[in-house]
């Protein structure tokens, strides 16, 4: 259910952060810090999420439309 999905998400996030920390040592790349960072203003964070989600949805819909047109022709 939802609890298992949340646990798997937390575990995957933890593994990703640890992997980034290990890979970014000595490279001057602040990826791990950016992933761990928590935003102060959740409203802005949610707005950015909505914008990114809508953009991804538009890209997927456009790709689906192109494939449908290609298959029709």
């Amino acid at each position: 259910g939802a609890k298992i999905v949340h646990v798997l998400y937390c575990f995957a996030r933890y593994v990703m952060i640890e992997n980034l920390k290990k890979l970014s040592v000595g490279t001057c790349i602040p990826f791990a810090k950016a992933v761990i960072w928590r935003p102060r203003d959740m409203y802005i964070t949610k707005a950015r999420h909505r914008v990114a989600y809508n953009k991804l949805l538009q890209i997927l819909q456009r790709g689906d439309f192109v494939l449908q047109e290609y298959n029709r022709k």
Side-chain angles (χ1 to χ4, degrees), residues 21-60:
K21 283 181 185 177
K22 185 172 65 172
L23 293 175
S24 65
V25 169
T27 60
C28 299
I29 301 173
F31 288 139
K33 290 182 184 177
V35 172
I36 295 170
W37 178 73
R38 297 281 181 179
R40 292 182 190 171
D41 189 3
M42 287 304 292
Y43 175 77
I44 292 175
T45 303
K46 288 179 182 179
R48 287 179 180 166
H49 174 265
R50 281 192 306 271
V51 169
Y53 178 81
N54 289 336
K55 186 68 175 173
L56 176 63
L57 186 61
Q58 289 174 357
I59 290 169
L60 293 174

